[in-house]
Amino acid sequence: MFRLGSQDLDLINCNECKACEIVTPGSVTPHDFHVLVRLDAPVSTGADRPAHIWWPEKVDHHPAIEAVKKALSDAKEELKGRHVKVTAFEYPASFNAPPPTAGTHDILIFPAAVSLSGIPLSALGDTVVHALTRVRTSDPKTMEKETKINGLAYLVCCHTARDARCGYLGPLLAEKLGEMGEQVFISSHIGGHQYAGNVVVYGTHQPSAGTWFGGLSADQVPEFLAALKALPLSGDPAADKVLRKWWRGRVGLTKEEQINHFRRCTRRLADIEDAALPAPNKIK
């Protein structure tokens, strides 16, 4: 999926970057929606260069990202105080997705788990606002392009220019997830690169939907997936003995709510373990 050439590895020498940190619960910036926009590569970029390699350090100044953010800013009333995270994305090589048509962009929207393809730049902002609020759109026909993303989806931060840790660990993590048959999307900087590898999990009616995990490496993916898929519908990754060591937070919660939630899960686990201990022998 993410076979890197020697010139790419030179850019993301993990040995020269700062050490990754232990995952901290409550490290997810509060947001309610995540919008991802597929960007067109600069003309100077080779066709075989992965997006996470050519993305600039900050993608905010790309016309597509600017259009979406401006529309969201203008739609504060319709959004009713809800916060939207906006990043760039790219499909993994296994998707065999053709390059975007000039002047159009694909969009992913979570937690709604929908994708829209081939949206013109002129309609991009209003299309995103409508998809989030169902209030307005400049072109109703664009909504006909909306497709449901089925099953679990994994967003992996692989933004090389933003931080070498994500640029090195992210592609390896995404590649391993893909090898194990999972649906992966490559994201630009999502926040918390010190916790690389970072992955956000989404899925309709899934107990792990909207959960952020950090500190994951490719060799831990089998253990991670086994625990994730073993969760009952009433389960909680923050209360799972395997998953909680990677738990950073969850969509829809403030940082304080994330921390308090993790603490409650910690107490719940302690209570369960105490209840499982044999009763002490009575002193005679």
Side-chain angles (χ1 to χ4, degrees):
M1 286 175 62
F2 297 94
R3 304 299 181 189
L4 301 180
S6 59
Q7 58 183 342
D8 299 325
L9 291 173
D10 287 342
L11 291 173
I12 52 177
N13 187 349
C14 199
N15 294 326
E16 295 180 359
C17 72
K18 297 178 181 178
C20 297
E21 297 180 10
I22 296 174
V23 170
T24 302
S27 57
V28 175
T29 302
H31 63 288
D32 303 286
F33 303 108
H34 192 166
V35 174
L36 300 98
V37 184
R38 190 184 188 201
L39 306 183
D40 45 341
V43 176
S44 59
T45 302
D48 60 341
R49 300 285 281 170
H52 63 277
I53 294 294
W54 66 254
W55 279 333
E57 182 178 355
K58 294 185 178 181
V59 299
D60 295 15
H61 299 304
H62 189 284
I65 301 292
E66 287 184 336
V68 170
K69 287 196 169 186
K70 183 180 186 307
L72 293 171
S73 178
D74 293 342
K76 289 181 180 179
E77 185 175 342
E78 293 100 317
L79 289 168
K80 299 178 180 178
R82 291 171 292 181
H83 300 284
V84 185
K85 177 177 287 294
V86 181
T87 65
F89 90 94
E90 186 53 80
Y91 302 107
S94 60
F95 270 55
N96 294 316
T101 303
T104 68
H105 300 272
D106 295 352
I107 309 168
L108 307 177
I109 297 178
F110 294 100
V114 297
S115 66
L116 296 104
S117 302
I119 307 301
L121 178 60
S122 59
L124 198 59
D126 279 355
T127 299
V128 168
V129 171
H130 180 74
L132 293 175
T133 66
R134 302 298 175 184
V135 172
R136 62 181 166 97
T137 179
S138 59
D139 183 6
K141 290 184 179 180
T142 60
M143 302 317 297
E144 297 175 3
K145 302 178 181 180
E146 186 174 300
T147 303
K148 191 68 177 176
I149 300 172
N150 297 312
L152 286 169
Y154 301 81
L155 314 182
V156 181
C157 182
C158 301
H159 198 158
T160 301
R162 190 60 180 263
D163 192 272
R165 290 164 288 191
C166 293
Y168 182 81
L169 295 171
L172 297 174
L173 175 58
E175 181 175 20
K176 186 62 177 181
L177 285 165
E179 287 177 353
M180 297 192 69
E182 301 304 321
Q183 185 173 210
V184 182
F185 298 100
I186 308 158
S187 177
S188 64
H189 176 67
I190 59 175
H193 37 252
Q194 65 268 36
Y195 305 121
N198 286 299
V199 56
V200 188
V201 181
Y202 282 106
T204 307
H205 307 304
Q206 298 287 340
S208 55
T211 303
W212 285 47
F213 298 96
L216 266 169
S217 60
D219 61 347
Q220 294 172 322
V221 166
E223 179 189 17
F224 171 71
L225 290 179
L228 195 72
K229 296 185 176 183
L231 279 175
L233 285 176
S234 59
D236 189 325
D240 184 86
K241 290 182 178 180
V242 175
L243 296 173
R244 67 194 321 267
K245 63 177 172 284
W246 298 304
W247 195 89
R248 287 188 54 192
R250 198 172 70 192
V251 172
L253 299 180
T254 65
K255 290 191 175 186
E256 183 178 4
E257 288 171 338
Q258 294 170 44
I259 293 170
N260 289 337
H261 177 76
F262 190 81
R263 286 173 176 168
R264 285 194 297 271
C265 289
T266 301
R267 289 194 293 268
R268 191 189 315 163
L269 279 175
D271 290 343
I272 293 173
E273 291 174 355
D274 287 346
L277 292 174
N281 294 326
K282 292 182 179 180
I283 299 176
K284 295 182 179 179

